[in-house]
Amino acid sequence: TQPHPAGLAHFFDLTWLSDPHNLFAYRSVIYLLILFYVAGLLLPIVLPALAVGHALMFTLYNSQGYTHHGYQIVSLTLVAQAATVLYYTALKGLRLQPPDALLSSWLLVQSQVVVVGTYLVSFFTKILSTGGMWLWNANYIAIDLIKTQRQHYFSRFNPSDAGNPAEAMWLLEHPWIARGFFASGALLEAIAFLALANRRLGFLIGVGLVLMHRSVTILMGLRFQFNEMLCVIFLVGIPYFVARCLERVRSRAVRLGILIGAGLGVPLSYFV
């Protein structure tokens, strides 16, 4: 059900997605669209459909009475990419084959803007919602570590989760170190937009954001794998480095074979 509708759920009944048969068909269509997406084909059709499809799924997810913020960065990126493709279509005409250099550059930059923009919004939310006191009170986040540990314990009753985590107790005993540690993450969010300047800064800030999320996972058990993936793709630029390496392979057939092998290897490795 959607007892506490969020976003589009105020206007549409999305509970049909909770039926297992409907969900299976829905996901199958999404997977098919993703194949066209990664191939760069039919983007003016595929990207808007993917953006709406992803948003509807997690709109229902967020209409259960609590708000989860682990997926919205993907929805926002897809919306920005869809808007970019539609704007390009309005200016240059319909293009159903893989994007040219201009559209590729637009898609990259707009995706980067969304990724760093979410972190900037997060920073301002922290500051504005606490009357500017977030950095000063950052040491109390150590209490959240204790709360998370107890949530894990009462969810699974694993003896290893019993008691207070030693890291949290140490941080509570050293408030200035705790402030510096947690405030560094907030300040990284504040300067994330500098990643738009060039690839070097994008690489450094992207690595910093991934390490920030890794530290949150280690300390609090909270995973933001989609944030990490988008940082790796659009800021660190792993696809860019892969493309540069492929450019050194002179044979077009060999390059195509490597791409097909990698494309099949990733999903196969997941299932195997």
Side-chain angles (χ1 to χ4, degrees), residues 9 62 74 197:
N62 275 349
V74 180

Side-chain angles (χ1 to χ4, degrees), residues 39-44 94-100 103:
L41 299 172
L42 311 178
L43 291 186
L94 185 64
R95 181 186 178 90
L96 300 180
Q97 59 266 48
D100 57 13
L103 180 55

Side-chain angles (χ1 to χ4, degrees), residues 33 41-51 85-86 89 94-96:
L33 292 174
L41 299 172
L42 311 178
L43 291 186
I45 301 169
V46 168
L47 264 171
L50 277 177
V85 168
L86 294 177
T89 300
L94 185 64
R95 181 186 178 90
L96 300 180

Side-chain angles (χ1 to χ4, degrees), residues 23-135:
L23 183 60
F24 176 79
Y26 189 84
R27 288 167 66 97
S28 299
V29 171
I30 293 293
Y31 290 149
L32 178 62
L33 292 174
I34 288 174
L35 290 177
F36 285 98
Y37 172 69
V38 296
L41 299 172
L42 311 178
L43 291 186
I45 301 169
V46 168
L47 264 171
L50 277 177
V52 172
H54 193 275
L56 290 182
M57 174 81 73
F58 294 104
T59 297
L60 178 62
Y61 190 87
N62 275 349
S63 297
Q64 308 307 307
Y66 59 91
T67 301
H68 187 278
H69 57 282
Y71 304 102
Q72 90 284 5
I73 192 171
V74 180
S75 294
L76 289 169
T77 303
L78 288 171
V79 168
Q81 291 184 356
T84 300
V85 168
L86 294 177
Y87 180 71
Y88 177 92
T89 300
L91 289 181
K92 304 286 187 177
L94 185 64
R95 181 186 178 90
L96 300 180
Q97 59 266 48
D100 57 13
L102 177 63
L103 180 55
S104 292
S105 64
W106 285 5
L107 287 169
L108 172 63
V109 171
Q110 296 307 323
S111 301
Q112 290 175 328
V113 167
V114 169
V115 172
V116 300
T118 58
Y119 290 103
L120 196 59
V121 168
S122 174
F123 171 76
F124 279 114
T125 300
K126 290 180 174 70
I127 299 302
L128 295 175
S129 64
T130 60
M133 296 297 292
W134 194 93
L135 297 175

Side-chain angles (χ1 to χ4, degrees), residues 37-259:
Y37 172 69
V38 296
L41 299 172
L42 311 178
L43 291 186
I45 301 169
V46 168
L47 264 171
L50 277 177
V52 172
H54 193 275
L56 290 182
M57 174 81 73
F58 294 104
T59 297
L60 178 62
Y61 190 87
N62 275 349
S63 297
Q64 308 307 307
Y66 59 91
T67 301
H68 187 278
H69 57 282
Y71 304 102
Q72 90 284 5
I73 192 171
V74 180
S75 294
L76 289 169
T77 303
L78 288 171
V79 168
Q81 291 184 356
T84 300
V85 168
L86 294 177
Y87 180 71
Y88 177 92
T89 300
L91 289 181
K92 304 286 187 177
L94 185 64
R95 181 186 178 90
L96 300 180
Q97 59 266 48
D100 57 13
L102 177 63
L103 180 55
S104 292
S105 64
W106 285 5
L107 287 169
L108 172 63
V109 171
Q110 296 307 323
S111 301
Q112 290 175 328
V113 167
V114 169
V115 172
V116 300
T118 58
Y119 290 103
L120 196 59
V121 168
S122 174
F123 171 76
F124 279 114
T125 300
K126 290 180 174 70
I127 299 302
L128 295 175
S129 64
T130 60
M133 296 297 292
W134 194 93
L135 297 175
W136 176 254
N137 293 327
N139 58 301
Y140 294 118
I141 295 178
I143 297 174
D144 276 333
L145 308 186
I146 299 173
K147 181 191 73 173
T148 302
Q149 179 93 341
R150 292 179 181 178
Q151 285 176 333
H152 289 327
Y153 176 73
F154 287 113
S155 296
R156 300 174 296 198
F157 291 105
N158 188 333
S160 64
D161 293 329
N164 295 324
E167 301 90 344
M169 301 308 296
W170 188 86
L171 289 170
L172 286 174
E173 293 169 1
H174 301 82
W176 279 105
I177 295 177
R179 286 189 185 99
F181 178 75
F182 293 117
S184 64
L187 294 176
L188 182 60
E189 291 180 329
I191 65 169
F193 69 93
L194 294 177
L196 300 173
N198 54 56
R199 286 198 180 275
R200 290 185 181 87
L201 272 175
F203 177 85
L204 292 174
I205 290 177
V207 170
L209 290 170
V210 171
L211 292 176
M212 179 187 75
H213 286 299
R214 289 282 103 186
S215 65
V216 170
T217 300
I218 293 170
L219 286 173
M220 303 183 69
L222 302 176
R223 298 183 62 202
F224 292 91
Q225 64 267 37
F226 296 109
N227 289 62
E228 292 181 22
M229 291 177 186
L230 288 174
C231 287
V232 166
I233 293 169
F234 293 113
L235 301 184
V236 177
I238 295 299
Y240 167 75
F241 292 113
V242 171
R244 288 299 299 269
C245 292
L246 283 175
E247 284 178 353
R248 298 181 180 274
V249 179
R250 295 186 177 182
S251 171
R252 186 174 183 274
V254 174
R255 284 204 306 269
L256 188 61
I258 293 173
L259 286 171

